[in-house]
Amino acid sequence: MKFNDVTRGSGLEEHGITNANLIFWTPPTAVLYEQIIKRGEGLVSHLGAIAVKTGHYTGRAANEKFIVDEPASRDNIAWGKVNKPFDPAKFDALYNRMLAYMHGKDLFVQDCFAGADREHRLPIRVITEKAWQSLFARNMFVRATQEELATIRPEFTVVNMPNFHAIPTVDGTNSETFIIVNFARKLIIIGGTSYAGENKKSVFTILNYLLPIEKKILSMHCSANVGPKGDTAIFFGLSGTGKTTLSADPHRSLVGDDEHGWDDKGVFNFEGGCYAKIIRLSKEAEPEIYETTRRFGTILENVAIDTQSRRVDLDDDSFTENTRASYPLTHIPNIVLSGTAGHPSNIIMLTCDAYGVLPPIARLTKEQAMYHFLSGYTAKVAGTEAGVKEPSATFSTCFGGPFMPLDPAVYGELLREKIARHAVSCWLVNTGWSGGPYGVGSRMKIAYSRALVNAALDGTLIAGRFEKDPFFGLDIPTSCTGVPAEVLNPRNTWADKAKYDEAARKLVELFRGNFEKYRASVPDDVANVM
């Protein structure tokens, strides 16, 4: 169908959808705004962003995600708590009920691409019942031109019906909510949740399966930017570690903020937009991201809004701590329009260490880089989840465990090989606590983290002196412009050195315990890093 066509019930027969009412084909942002308002799905804020609520789910429903257990992909999937198998017959029956649900409904279709590199991009189709979810897809994926829309044939399809609910006893799901990937049918079905992040992360899961297997491309949960000299940096990190914040640098051009591939030419963005966490977003600390919250086309997810003045309050966590902004990359002033860049000169692995024992920055060997990549460490803190009373270590494989369907060693070996081939400098950066654990110490100042990252990227840090950390085996710099020297070695910031030693030893044991599951599939020099 053509750009911004509207048809009555026809055009989606290949997906089994035969009796829809109106079908909106790749509508532009302005049309989607009109439909969002008309259908009562959101409110326009005073400077033009659209504010929406997601209801019960304000984050991913991790326990409700499945992969269909079918012969073509069965032997490649790392089955377990993350990649849970789903019966093919149950999938077909559930999808048939979804098709019946869509009878007589208005639907929104976005035909677009996952991947900025034209050689590797995947044509996808996103079918939704919500206009604002269609705007999310338009923001987040790579838009097709009007000429491309005339010939595009989707290779994977996402069907997202938030108001359709599964029946667990009938459908084989854990609850009324489900996110199910079927590689054989090249189909993803989502229901029972309005959290828009499920759209992008399910497509990310597909790419994390296809690219390493079919093309030996490393798929990564990371952000990437390029410096004035053309040097590329990538930033790995889980939510809350500063991945989006630190990669949005006014002196460097942003390639993308969350998902990338690394092939024989360099890195390329999987997306066409950003999905930034914005709770307590500061204009002073993060001006580029802050400005996107005031732009037409941005979706503000679960952000408090005054219904009279239409002003939003970015500090209000009434709905959730996980408030989000979805916006096209073009809302950021300094971007790489092509979404592609050269091979990285530096890799930054971010963690938010609530124990307060990891250094604010440390140099990594390639073996340490693979170890920390597979570990994917960060920490939860008291108050963020029910029942969490003290810092709690979280390990997420490859800094994106919930989205990695293959054996972690596949991604780890690809990373190790690329680091060695391209002589990449690797760094571990802790944006968490200093001077003690959460509740005693204080969060690392963003200005310090920026100064340290900048020094790593411009080469001044690696040219300086380092000292060896006795617990984690890390190389810690002894000085950095703009950062107090006593901050660089975390032990120096603790009033009680014995308590630091105890906390450091505890975290080392947590690392070792977590890494046991990888030990048999990695070289000894990686397994014995700690």
Side-chain angles (χ1 to χ4, degrees), residues 234-237 347-351 364 368-373 399 415 419 426-430:
I234 58 178
F235 299 74
F236 290 104
I347 292 175
I348 309 291
M349 297 186 183
L350 296 158
T351 183
L364 301 175
Q368 288 174 323
M370 185 175 176
Y371 186 98
H372 284 278
F373 177 66
F399 293 97
L415 179 72
I419 288 171
C426 300
W427 307 87
L428 182 68
V429 173
N430 173 27

mmCIF file with all atom_site columns, all heavy atoms in Angstrom, residues 234-237 347-351 364 368-373 399 415 419 426-430:
data_model
loop_
_atom_site.group_PDB
_atom_site.id
_atom_site.type_symbol
_atom_site.label_atom_id
_atom_site.label_alt_id
_atom_site.label_comp_id
_atom_site.label_asym_id
_atom_site.label_entity_id
_atom_site.label_seq_id
_atom_site.pdbx_PDB_ins_code
_atom_site.Cartn_x
_atom_site.Cartn_y
_atom_site.Cartn_z
_atom_site.occupancy
_atom_site.B_iso_or_equiv
_atom_site.pdbx_formal_charge
_atom_site.auth_seq_id
_atom_site.auth_comp_id
_atom_site.auth_asym_id
_atom_site.auth_atom_id
_atom_site.pdbx_PDB_model_num
ATOM 1   N N   . ILE A 1 234 ? 31.454 2.566   21.479 1.00 0.00 ? 234 ILE A N   1
ATOM 2   C CA  . ILE A 1 234 ? 30.191 1.916   21.818 1.00 0.00 ? 234 ILE A CA  1
ATOM 3   C C   . ILE A 1 234 ? 30.089 1.779   23.336 1.00 0.00 ? 234 ILE A C   1
ATOM 4   O O   . ILE A 1 234 ? 31.094 1.638   24.027 1.00 0.00 ? 234 ILE A O   1
ATOM 5   C CB  . ILE A 1 234 ? 30.012 0.556   21.114 1.00 0.00 ? 234 ILE A CB  1
ATOM 6   C CG1 . ILE A 1 234 ? 31.142 -0.405  21.437 1.00 0.00 ? 234 ILE A CG1 1
ATOM 7   C CG2 . ILE A 1 234 ? 29.874 0.737   19.630 1.00 0.00 ? 234 ILE A CG2 1
ATOM 8   C CD1 . ILE A 1 234 ? 30.954 -1.772  20.788 1.00 0.00 ? 234 ILE A CD1 1
ATOM 9   N N   . PHE A 1 235 ? 28.860 1.847   23.828 1.00 0.00 ? 235 PHE A N   1
ATOM 10  C CA  . PHE A 1 235 ? 28.581 1.859   25.261 1.00 0.00 ? 235 PHE A CA  1
ATOM 11  C C   . PHE A 1 235 ? 27.602 0.730   25.584 1.00 0.00 ? 235 PHE A C   1
ATOM 12  O O   . PHE A 1 235 ? 26.438 0.776   25.187 1.00 0.00 ? 235 PHE A O   1
ATOM 13  C CB  . PHE A 1 235 ? 27.942 3.190   25.683 1.00 0.00 ? 235 PHE A CB  1
ATOM 14  C CG  . PHE A 1 235 ? 28.779 4.410   25.438 1.00 0.00 ? 235 PHE A CG  1
ATOM 15  C CD1 . PHE A 1 235 ? 28.968 4.918   24.152 1.00 0.00 ? 235 PHE A CD1 1
ATOM 16  C CD2 . PHE A 1 235 ? 29.378 5.087   26.500 1.00 0.00 ? 235 PHE A CD2 1
ATOM 17  C CE1 . PHE A 1 235 ? 29.728 6.050   23.928 1.00 0.00 ? 235 PHE A CE1 1
ATOM 18  C CE2 . PHE A 1 235 ? 30.138 6.227   26.281 1.00 0.00 ? 235 PHE A CE2 1
ATOM 19  C CZ  . PHE A 1 235 ? 30.326 6.700   24.992 1.00 0.00 ? 235 PHE A CZ  1
ATOM 20  N N   . PHE A 1 236 ? 28.087 -0.282  26.316 1.00 0.00 ? 236 PHE A N   1
ATOM 21  C CA  . PHE A 1 236 ? 27.208 -1.332  26.813 1.00 0.00 ? 236 PHE A CA  1
ATOM 22  C C   . PHE A 1 236 ? 26.683 -0.932  28.189 1.00 0.00 ? 236 PHE A C   1
ATOM 23  O O   . PHE A 1 236 ? 27.414 -0.340  28.986 1.00 0.00 ? 236 PHE A O   1
ATOM 24  C CB  . PHE A 1 236 ? 27.958 -2.656  26.950 1.00 0.00 ? 236 PHE A CB  1
ATOM 25  C CG  . PHE A 1 236 ? 28.337 -3.302  25.649 1.00 0.00 ? 236 PHE A CG  1
ATOM 26  C CD1 . PHE A 1 236 ? 29.641 -3.253  25.191 1.00 0.00 ? 236 PHE A CD1 1
ATOM 27  C CD2 . PHE A 1 236 ? 27.387 -3.963  24.887 1.00 0.00 ? 236 PHE A CD2 1
ATOM 28  C CE1 . PHE A 1 236 ? 30.005 -3.853  23.996 1.00 0.00 ? 236 PHE A CE1 1
ATOM 29  C CE2 . PHE A 1 236 ? 27.736 -4.568  23.684 1.00 0.00 ? 236 PHE A CE2 1
ATOM 30  C CZ  . PHE A 1 236 ? 29.044 -4.511  23.241 1.00 0.00 ? 236 PHE A CZ  1
ATOM 31  N N   . GLY A 1 237 ? 25.449 -1.301  28.488 1.00 0.00 ? 237 GLY A N   1
ATOM 32  C CA  . GLY A 1 237 ? 24.937 -1.010  29.820 1.00 0.00 ? 237 GLY A CA  1
ATOM 33  C C   . GLY A 1 237 ? 23.472 -1.336  29.952 1.00 0.00 ? 237 GLY A C   1
ATOM 34  O O   . GLY A 1 237 ? 22.701 -1.167  29.006 1.00 0.00 ? 237 GLY A O   1
ATOM 35  N N   . ILE A 1 347 ? 35.517 0.698   23.624 1.00 0.00 ? 347 ILE A N   1
ATOM 36  C CA  . ILE A 1 347 ? 34.293 0.086   24.137 1.00 0.00 ? 347 ILE A CA  1
ATOM 37  C C   . ILE A 1 347 ? 34.178 0.447   25.612 1.00 0.00 ? 347 ILE A C   1
ATOM 38  O O   . ILE A 1 347 ? 35.118 0.244   26.386 1.00 0.00 ? 347 ILE A O   1
ATOM 39  C CB  . ILE A 1 347 ? 34.308 -1.439  23.973 1.00 0.00 ? 347 ILE A CB  1
ATOM 40  C CG1 . ILE A 1 347 ? 34.226 -1.820  22.497 1.00 0.00 ? 347 ILE A CG1 1
ATOM 41  C CG2 . ILE A 1 347 ? 33.158 -2.080  24.747 1.00 0.00 ? 347 ILE A CG2 1
ATOM 42  C CD1 . ILE A 1 347 ? 34.345 -3.315  22.235 1.00 0.00 ? 347 ILE A CD1 1
ATOM 43  N N   . ILE A 1 348 ? 33.021 1.000   25.988 1.00 0.00 ? 348 ILE A N   1
ATOM 44  C CA  . ILE A 1 348 ? 32.725 1.359   27.376 1.00 0.00 ? 348 ILE A CA  1
ATOM 45  C C   . ILE A 1 348 ? 31.674 0.389   27.903 1.00 0.00 ? 348 ILE A C   1
ATOM 46  O O   . ILE A 1 348 ? 30.592 0.270   27.322 1.00 0.00 ? 348 ILE A O   1
ATOM 47  C CB  . ILE A 1 348 ? 32.192 2.803   27.485 1.00 0.00 ? 348 ILE A CB  1
ATOM 48  C CG1 . ILE A 1 348 ? 33.115 3.801   26.767 1.00 0.00 ? 348 ILE A CG1 1
ATOM 49  C CG2 . ILE A 1 348 ? 31.968 3.185   28.938 1.00 0.00 ? 348 ILE A CG2 1
ATOM 50  C CD1 . ILE A 1 348 ? 34.443 4.004   27.419 1.00 0.00 ? 348 ILE A CD1 1
ATOM 51  N N   . MET A 1 349 ? 31.983 -0.313  28.988 1.00 0.00 ? 349 MET A N   1
ATOM 52  C CA  . MET A 1 349 ? 31.005 -1.189  29.635 1.00 0.00 ? 349 MET A CA  1
ATOM 53  C C   . MET A 1 349 ? 30.570 -0.539  30.935 1.00 0.00 ? 349 MET A C   1
ATOM 54  O O   . MET A 1 349 ? 31.375 -0.356  31.850 1.00 0.00 ? 349 MET A O   1
ATOM 55  C CB  . MET A 1 349 ? 31.609 -2.573  29.890 1.00 0.00 ? 349 MET A CB  1
ATOM 56  C CG  . MET A 1 349 ? 31.980 -3.294  28.608 1.00 0.00 ? 349 MET A CG  1
ATOM 57  S SD  . MET A 1 349 ? 32.530 -4.996  28.885 1.00 0.00 ? 349 MET A SD  1
ATOM 58  C CE  . MET A 1 349 ? 32.950 -5.467  27.193 1.00 0.00 ? 349 MET A CE  1
ATOM 59  N N   . LEU A 1 350 ? 29.304 -0.173  30.976 1.00 0.00 ? 350 LEU A N   1
ATOM 60  C CA  . LEU A 1 350 ? 28.766 0.608   32.096 1.00 0.00 ? 350 LEU A CA  1
ATOM 61  C C   . LEU A 1 350 ? 28.110 -0.291  33.141 1.00 0.00 ? 350 LEU A C   1
ATOM 62  O O   . LEU A 1 350 ? 27.425 -1.263  32.802 1.00 0.00 ? 350 LEU A O   1
ATOM 63  C CB  . LEU A 1 350 ? 27.743 1.612   31.580 1.00 0.00 ? 350 LEU A CB  1
ATOM 64  C CG  . LEU A 1 350 ? 28.283 2.699   30.645 1.00 0.00 ? 350 LEU A CG  1
ATOM 65  C CD1 . LEU A 1 350 ? 27.164 3.284   29.803 1.00 0.00 ? 350 LEU A CD1 1
ATOM 66  C CD2 . LEU A 1 350 ? 28.970 3.798   31.447 1.00 0.00 ? 350 LEU A CD2 1
ATOM 67  N N   . THR A 1 351 ? 28.317 0.071   34.392 1.00 0.00 ? 351 THR A N   1
ATOM 68  C CA  . THR A 1 351 ? 27.625 -0.603  35.482 1.00 0.00 ? 351 THR A CA  1
ATOM 69  C C   . THR A 1 351 ? 27.225 0.433   36.516 1.00 0.00 ? 351 THR A C   1
ATOM 70  O O   . THR A 1 351 ? 27.857 1.487   36.631 1.00 0.00 ? 351 THR A O   1
ATOM 71  C CB  . THR A 1 351 ? 28.519 -1.678  36.137 1.00 0.00 ? 351 THR A CB  1
ATOM 72  O OG1 . THR A 1 351 ? 27.772 -2.351  37.159 1.00 0.00 ? 351 THR A OG1 1
ATOM 73  C CG2 . THR A 1 351 ? 29.764 -1.068  36.757 1.00 0.00 ? 351 THR A CG2 1
ATOM 74  N N   . LEU A 1 364 ? 40.426 -2.485  30.665 1.00 0.00 ? 364 LEU A N   1
ATOM 75  C CA  . LEU A 1 364 ? 40.209 -3.926  30.587 1.00 0.00 ? 364 LEU A CA  1
ATOM 76  C C   . LEU A 1 364 ? 41.092 -4.554  29.517 1.00 0.00 ? 364 LEU A C   1
ATOM 77  O O   . LEU A 1 364 ? 41.279 -3.983  28.436 1.00 0.00 ? 364 LEU A O   1
ATOM 78  C CB  . LEU A 1 364 ? 38.743 -4.243  30.242 1.00 0.00 ? 364 LEU A CB  1
ATOM 79  C CG  . LEU A 1 364 ? 37.650 -3.732  31.184 1.00 0.00 ? 364 LEU A CG  1
ATOM 80  C CD1 . LEU A 1 364 ? 36.279 -4.047  30.593 1.00 0.00 ? 364 LEU A CD1 1
ATOM 81  C CD2 . LEU A 1 364 ? 37.787 -4.319  32.576 1.00 0.00 ? 364 LEU A CD2 1
ATOM 82  N N   . GLN A 1 368 ? 39.357 -9.701  30.057 1.00 0.00 ? 368 GLN A N   1
ATOM 83  C CA  . GLN A 1 368 ? 38.461 -9.069  31.021 1.00 0.00 ? 368 GLN A CA  1
ATOM 84  C C   . GLN A 1 368 ? 37.228 -8.511  30.330 1.00 0.00 ? 368 GLN A C   1
ATOM 85  O O   . GLN A 1 368 ? 36.115 -8.564  30.881 1.00 0.00 ? 368 GLN A O   1
ATOM 86  C CB  . GLN A 1 368 ? 39.201 -7.947  31.759 1.00 0.00 ? 368 GLN A CB  1
ATOM 87  C CG  . GLN A 1 368 ? 40.239 -8.443  32.748 1.00 0.00 ? 368 GLN A CG  1
ATOM 88  C CD  . GLN A 1 368 ? 41.042 -7.295  33.341 1.00 0.00 ? 368 GLN A CD  1
ATOM 89  O OE1 . GLN A 1 368 ? 41.355 -6.309  32.659 1.00 0.00 ? 368 GLN A OE1 1
ATOM 90  N NE2 . GLN A 1 368 ? 41.400 -7.416  34.619 1.00 0.00 ? 368 GLN A NE2 1
ATOM 91  N N   . ALA A 1 369 ? 37.405 -7.979  29.126 1.00 0.00 ? 369 ALA A N   1
ATOM 92  C CA  . ALA A 1 369 ? 36.266 -7.430  28.388 1.00 0.00 ? 369 ALA A CA  1
ATOM 93  C C   . ALA A 1 369 ? 35.239 -8.523  28.096 1.00 0.00 ? 369 ALA A C   1
ATOM 94  O O   . ALA A 1 369 ? 34.030 -8.319  28.271 1.00 0.00 ? 369 ALA A O   1
ATOM 95  C CB  . ALA A 1 369 ? 36.742 -6.777  27.088 1.00 0.00 ? 369 ALA A CB  1
ATOM 96  N N   . MET A 1 370 ? 35.700 -9.683  27.661 1.00 0.00 ? 370 MET A N   1
ATOM 97  C CA  . MET A 1 370 ? 34.772 -10.781 27.396 1.00 0.00 ? 370 MET A CA  1
ATOM 98  C C   . MET A 1 370 ? 34.102 -11.239 28.686 1.00 0.00 ? 370 MET A C   1
ATOM 99  O O   . MET A 1 370 ? 32.893 -11.534 28.711 1.00 0.00 ? 370 MET A O   1
ATOM 100 C CB  . MET A 1 370 ? 35.499 -11.947 26.739 1.00 0.00 ? 370 MET A CB  1
ATOM 101 C CG  . MET A 1 370 ? 34.575 -13.083 26.309 1.00 0.00 ? 370 MET A CG  1
ATOM 102 S SD  . MET A 1 370 ? 35.453 -14.373 25.403 1.00 0.00 ? 370 MET A SD  1
ATOM 103 C CE  . MET A 1 370 ? 34.131 -15.580 25.160 1.00 0.00 ? 370 MET A CE  1
ATOM 104 N N   . TYR A 1 371 ? 34.860 -11.293 29.786 1.00 0.00 ? 371 TYR A N   1
ATOM 105 C CA  . TYR A 1 371 ? 34.315 -11.706 31.083 1.00 0.00 ? 371 TYR A CA  1
ATOM 106 C C   . TYR A 1 371 ? 33.197 -10.754 31.519 1.00 0.00 ? 371 TYR A C   1
ATOM 107 O O   . TYR A 1 371 ? 32.102 -11.199 31.912 1.00 0.00 ? 371 TYR A O   1
ATOM 108 C CB  . TYR A 1 371 ? 35.436 -11.726 32.116 1.00 0.00 ? 371 TYR A CB  1
ATOM 109 C CG  . TYR A 1 371 ? 35.037 -12.278 33.478 1.00 0.00 ? 371 TYR A CG  1
ATOM 110 C CD1 . TYR A 1 371 ? 35.309 -13.602 33.808 1.00 0.00 ? 371 TYR A CD1 1
ATOM 111 C CD2 . TYR A 1 371 ? 34.411 -11.488 34.436 1.00 0.00 ? 371 TYR A CD2 1
ATOM 112 C CE1 . TYR A 1 371 ? 34.965 -14.123 35.049 1.00 0.00 ? 371 TYR A CE1 1
ATOM 113 C CE2 . TYR A 1 371 ? 34.055 -11.985 35.671 1.00 0.00 ? 371 TYR A CE2 1
ATOM 114 C CZ  . TYR A 1 371 ? 34.324 -13.302 35.979 1.00 0.00 ? 371 TYR A CZ  1
ATOM 115 O OH  . TYR A 1 371 ? 33.977 -13.797 37.209 1.00 0.00 ? 371 TYR A OH  1
ATOM 116 N N   . HIS A 1 372 ? 33.469 -9.464  31.456 1.00 0.00 ? 372 HIS A N   1
ATOM 117 C CA  . HIS A 1 372 ? 32.466 -8.490  31.914 1.00 0.00 ? 372 HIS A CA  1
ATOM 118 C C   . HIS A 1 372 ? 31.303 -8.377  30.932 1.00 0.00 ? 372 HIS A C   1
ATOM 119 O O   . HIS A 1 372 ? 30.165 -8.101  31.343 1.00 0.00 ? 372 HIS A O   1
ATOM 120 C CB  . HIS A 1 372 ? 33.125 -7.133  32.157 1.00 0.00 ? 372 HIS A CB  1
ATOM 121 C CG  . HIS A 1 372 ? 33.915 -7.085  33.432 1.00 0.00 ? 372 HIS A CG  1
ATOM 122 N ND1 . HIS A 1 372 ? 33.327 -6.867  34.655 1.00 0.00 ? 372 HIS A ND1 1
ATOM 123 C CD2 . HIS A 1 372 ? 35.238 -7.267  33.673 1.00 0.00 ? 372 HIS A CD2 1
ATOM 124 C CE1 . HIS A 1 372 ? 34.248 -6.902  35.607 1.00 0.00 ? 372 HIS A CE1 1
ATOM 125 N NE2 . HIS A 1 372 ? 35.411 -7.140  35.039 1.00 0.00 ? 372 HIS A NE2 1
ATOM 126 N N   . PHE A 1 373 ? 31.559 -8.616  29.654 1.00 0.00 ? 373 PHE A N   1
ATOM 127 C CA  . PHE A 1 373 ? 30.485 -8.626  28.661 1.00 0.00 ? 373 PHE A CA  1
ATOM 128 C C   . PHE A 1 373 ? 29.519 -9.776  28.942 1.00 0.00 ? 373 PHE A C   1
ATOM 129 O O   . PHE A 1 373 ? 28.288 -9.587  28.952 1.00 0.00 ? 373 PHE A O   1
ATOM 130 C CB  . PHE A 1 373 ? 31.097 -8.761  27.269 1.00 0.00 ? 373 PHE A CB  1
ATOM 131 C CG  . PHE A 1 373 ? 30.094 -8.868  26.150 1.00 0.00 ? 373 PHE A CG  1
ATOM 132 C CD1 . PHE A 1 373 ? 29.261 -7.812  25.826 1.00 0.00 ? 373 PHE A CD1 1
ATOM 133 C CD2 . PHE A 1 373 ? 29.991 -10.041 25.405 1.00 0.00 ? 373 PHE A CD2 1
ATOM 134 C CE1 . PHE A 1 373 ? 28.340 -7.911  24.784 1.00 0.00 ? 373 PHE A CE1 1
ATOM 135 C CE2 . PHE A 1 373 ? 29.088 -10.149 24.362 1.00 0.00 ? 373 PHE A CE2 1
ATOM 136 C CZ  . PHE A 1 373 ? 28.258 -9.084  24.052 1.00 0.00 ? 373 PHE A CZ  1
ATOM 137 N N   . PHE A 1 399 ? 24.885 -7.837  28.646 1.00 0.00 ? 399 PHE A N   1
ATOM 138 C CA  . PHE A 1 399 ? 24.184 -6.592  28.951 1.00 0.00 ? 399 PHE A CA  1
ATOM 139 C C   . PHE A 1 399 ? 22.807 -6.546  28.274 1.00 0.00 ? 399 PHE A C   1
ATOM 140 O O   . PHE A 1 399 ? 22.270 -5.472  28.015 1.00 0.00 ? 399 PHE A O   1
ATOM 141 C CB  . PHE A 1 399 ? 25.009 -5.369  28.535 1.00 0.00 ? 399 PHE A CB  1
ATOM 142 C CG  . PHE A 1 399 ? 26.270 -5.197  29.338 1.00 0.00 ? 399 PHE A CG  1
ATOM 143 C CD1 . PHE A 1 399 ? 27.481 -5.651  28.858 1.00 0.00 ? 399 PHE A CD1 1
ATOM 144 C CD2 . PHE A 1 399 ? 26.240 -4.587  30.573 1.00 0.00 ? 399 PHE A CD2 1
ATOM 145 C CE1 . PHE A 1 399 ? 28.650 -5.505  29.601 1.00 0.00 ? 399 PHE A CE1 1
ATOM 146 C CE2 . PHE A 1 399 ? 27.390 -4.422  31.325 1.00 0.00 ? 399 PHE A CE2 1
ATOM 147 C CZ  . PHE A 1 399 ? 28.599 -4.889  30.842 1.00 0.00 ? 399 PHE A CZ  1
ATOM 148 N N   . LEU A 1 415 ? 32.579 -10.901 20.006 1.00 0.00 ? 415 LEU A N   1
ATOM 149 C CA  . LEU A 1 415 ? 33.135 -9.673  20.578 1.00 0.00 ? 415 LEU A CA  1
ATOM 150 C C   . LEU A 1 415 ? 34.647 -9.796  20.763 1.00 0.00 ? 415 LEU A C   1
ATOM 151 O O   . LEU A 1 415 ? 35.406 -8.891  20.383 1.00 0.00 ? 415 LEU A O   1
ATOM 152 C CB  . LEU A 1 415 ? 32.478 -9.363  21.921 1.00 0.00 ? 415 LEU A CB  1
ATOM 153 C CG  . LEU A 1 415 ? 33.013 -8.092  22.605 1.00 0.00 ? 415 LEU A CG  1
ATOM 154 C CD1 . LEU A 1 415 ? 32.528 -6.848  21.880 1.00 0.00 ? 415 LEU A CD1 1
ATOM 155 C CD2 . LEU A 1 415 ? 32.590 -8.046  24.070 1.00 0.00 ? 415 LEU A CD2 1
ATOM 156 N N   . ILE A 1 419 ? 37.430 -7.361  19.005 1.00 0.00 ? 419 ILE A N   1
ATOM 157 C CA  . ILE A 1 419 ? 38.317 -6.534  19.828 1.00 0.00 ? 419 ILE A CA  1
ATOM 158 C C   . ILE A 1 419 ? 39.776 -6.771  19.437 1.00 0.00 ? 419 ILE A C   1
ATOM 159 O O   . ILE A 1 419 ? 40.560 -5.830  19.269 1.00 0.00 ? 419 ILE A O   1
ATOM 160 C CB  . ILE A 1 419 ? 38.097 -6.825  21.326 1.00 0.00 ? 419 ILE A CB  1
ATOM 161 C CG1 . ILE A 1 419 ? 36.759 -6.255  21.798 1.00 0.00 ? 419 ILE A CG1 1
ATOM 162 C CG2 . ILE A 1 419 ? 39.229 -6.230  22.164 1.00 0.00 ? 419 ILE A CG2 1
ATOM 163 C CD1 . ILE A 1 419 ? 36.384 -6.684  23.212 1.00 0.00 ? 419 ILE A CD1 1
ATOM 164 N N   . CYS A 1 426 ? 39.277 -1.143  25.794 1.00 0.00 ? 426 CYS A N   1
ATOM 165 C CA  . CYS A 1 426 ? 38.043 -1.460  26.523 1.00 0.00 ? 426 CYS A CA  1
ATOM 166 C C   . CYS A 1 426 ? 38.111 -0.915  27.945 1.00 0.00 ? 426 CYS A C   1
ATOM 167 O O   . CYS A 1 426 ? 39.163 -0.981  28.595 1.00 0.00 ? 426 CYS A O   1
ATOM 168 C CB  . CYS A 1 426 ? 37.807 -2.968  26.565 1.00 0.00 ? 426 CYS A CB  1
ATOM 169 S SG  . CYS A 1 426 ? 37.644 -3.722  24.932 1.00 0.00 ? 426 CYS A SG  1
ATOM 170 N N   . TRP A 1 427 ? 36.970 -0.423  28.426 1.00 0.00 ? 427 TRP A N   1
ATOM 171 C CA  . TRP A 1 427 ? 36.907 0.229   29.725 1.00 0.00 ? 427 TRP A CA  1
ATOM 172 C C   . TRP A 1 427 ? 35.661 -0.212  30.481 1.00 0.00 ? 427 TRP A C   1
ATOM 173 O O   . TRP A 1 427 ? 34.590 -0.380  29.885 1.00 0.00 ? 427 TRP A O   1
ATOM 174 C CB  . TRP A 1 427 ? 36.865 1.755   29.564 1.00 0.00 ? 427 TRP A CB  1
ATOM 175 C CG  . TRP A 1 427 ? 37.963 2.310   28.723 1.00 0.00 ? 427 TRP A CG  1
ATOM 176 C CD1 . TRP A 1 427 ? 37.964 2.462   27.356 1.00 0.00 ? 427 TRP A CD1 1
ATOM 177 C CD2 . TRP A 1 427 ? 39.238 2.779   29.173 1.00 0.00 ? 427 TRP A CD2 1
ATOM 178 N NE1 . TRP A 1 427 ? 39.153 3.004   26.939 1.00 0.00 ? 427 TRP A NE1 1
ATOM 179 C CE2 . TRP A 1 427 ? 39.957 3.213   28.023 1.00 0.00 ? 427 TRP A CE2 1
ATOM 180 C CE3 . TRP A 1 427 ? 39.844 2.888   30.435 1.00 0.00 ? 427 TRP A CE3 1
ATOM 181 C CZ2 . TRP A 1 427 ? 41.244 3.732   28.106 1.00 0.00 ? 427 TRP A CZ2 1
ATOM 182 C CZ3 . TRP A 1 427 ? 41.119 3.405   30.511 1.00 0.00 ? 427 TRP A CZ3 1
ATOM 183 C CH2 . TRP A 1 427 ? 41.802 3.821   29.367 1.00 0.00 ? 427 TRP A CH2 1
ATOM 184 N N   . LEU A 1 428 ? 35.807 -0.368  31.793 1.00 0.00 ? 428 LEU A N   1
ATOM 185 C CA  . LEU A 1 428 ? 34.665 -0.590  32.681 1.00 0.00 ? 428 LEU A CA  1
ATOM 186 C C   . LEU A 1 428 ? 34.403 0.712   33.422 1.00 0.00 ? 428 LEU A C   1
ATOM 187 O O   . LEU A 1 428 ? 35.314 1.277   34.041 1.00 0.00 ? 428 LEU A O   1
ATOM 188 C CB  . LEU A 1 428 ? 34.971 -1.699  33.688 1.00 0.00 ? 428 LEU A CB  1
ATOM 189 C CG  . LEU A 1 428 ? 33.854 -2.072  34.666 1.00 0.00 ? 428 LEU A CG  1
ATOM 190 C CD1 . LEU A 1 428 ? 32.694 -2.741  33.935 1.00 0.00 ? 428 LEU A CD1 1
ATOM 191 C CD2 . LEU A 1 428 ? 34.370 -2.988  35.776 1.00 0.00 ? 428 LEU A CD2 1
ATOM 192 N N   . VAL A 1 429 ? 33.185 1.224   33.330 1.00 0.00 ? 429 VAL A N   1
ATOM 193 C CA  . VAL A 1 429 ? 32.827 2.500   33.947 1.00 0.00 ? 429 VAL A CA  1
ATOM 194 C C   . VAL A 1 429 ? 31.692 2.283   34.943 1.00 0.00 ? 429 VAL A C   1
ATOM 195 O O   . VAL A 1 429 ? 30.630 1.759   34.581 1.00 0.00 ? 429 VAL A O   1
ATOM 196 C CB  . VAL A 1 429 ? 32.406 3.545   32.891 1.00 0.00 ? 429 VAL A CB  1
ATOM 197 C CG1 . VAL A 1 429 ? 31.866 4.810   33.547 1.00 0.00 ? 429 VAL A CG1 1
ATOM 198 C CG2 . VAL A 1 429 ? 33.591 3.887   31.989 1.00 0.00 ? 429 VAL A CG2 1
ATOM 199 N N   . ASN A 1 430 ? 31.923 2.670   36.195 1.00 0.00 ? 430 ASN A N   1
ATOM 200 C CA  . ASN A 1 430 ? 30.918 2.547   37.250 1.00 0.00 ? 430 ASN A CA  1
ATOM 201 C C   . ASN A 1 430 ? 30.268 3.904   37.497 1.00 0.00 ? 430 ASN A C   1
ATOM 202 O O   . ASN A 1 430 ? 30.907 4.835   37.982 1.00 0.00 ? 430 ASN A O   1
ATOM 203 C CB  . ASN A 1 430 ? 31.573 2.024   38.533 1.00 0.00 ? 430 ASN A CB  1
ATOM 204 C CG  . ASN A 1 430 ? 30.606 2.041   39.718 1.00 0.00 ? 430 ASN A CG  1
ATOM 205 O OD1 . ASN A 1 430 ? 29.393 1.954   39.532 1.00 0.00 ? 430 ASN A OD1 1
ATOM 206 N ND2 . ASN A 1 430 ? 31.148 2.158   40.923 1.00 0.00 ? 430 ASN A ND2 1
#
